[in-house]
Amino acid sequence: QVRLVESGGDSVQAGGSLRLSCTASGYTQRTYCMAWFRQAPGKEREGVAAIYTDSTYYADSVKGRFTISQDNAKNTLFLQMNSLKPEDTAMYYCAADNVRCSLVAANFDYWGQGTQVTVSS
C-alpha cells in the first residue's frame, strides 16, 4: 500500500525559507512522478512542483524560489522553499502518480495528509 507522509511545515516570516519532506513507502519512488501541491482556504488545490527521474516541473508562481528534489535511496521527496511570500500560505501535499507527470491534481492517485505552511508579512 502506497503511503506518503509530509513534514517540515511551519510558520515563518516573509523572505524566509522552509524545507518540506515527504517520506514514501509501499512502492519504488523512482518509477513514479512525485509532486507537491498546495491548497489555501477557499481555493482550489494547485500544483507547485513535480519531478520524474531528472525532469522537473514548476508552477510559474514558484519558479526561481522553490526547488524540488528527491533522495531515491531514502524514498524521500523534498521541496526547498526560499523567499517565501504571504501568498505561499497553504496546506502543502505530497502526491505520487505512476502513469504521467504533471501539475494536475486529478492525475495523481496517491496523496499524503499535508503539512501547513504559514507565511506572515
Side-chain angles (χ1 to χ4, degrees), residues 45-111:
R45 190 168 296 191
E46 65 169 340
V48 175
I51 185 169
Y52 179 70
T53 60
D54 294 329
S55 298
T56 56
Y57 311 86
Y58 294 95
D60 288 342
S61 59
V62 306
K63 281 180 182 177
R65 300 188 300 122
F66 291 10
T67 302
I68 189 171
S69 62
Q70 60 186 351
D71 183 337
N72 290 324
K74 296 182 179 179
N75 261 14
T76 302
L77 179 72
F78 302 101
L79 184 68
Q80 178 65 42
M81 305 187 295
N82 299 327
S83 302
L84 282 162
K85 304 175 181 180
E87 51 263 44
D88 294 319
T89 296
M91 183 72 77
Y92 282 71
Y93 298 90
C94 172
D97 181 66
N98 67 346
V99 176
R100 73 199 82 181
C101 206
S102 70
L103 292 178
V104 177
N107 292 343
F108 285 79
D109 298 319
Y110 307 104
W111 294 85

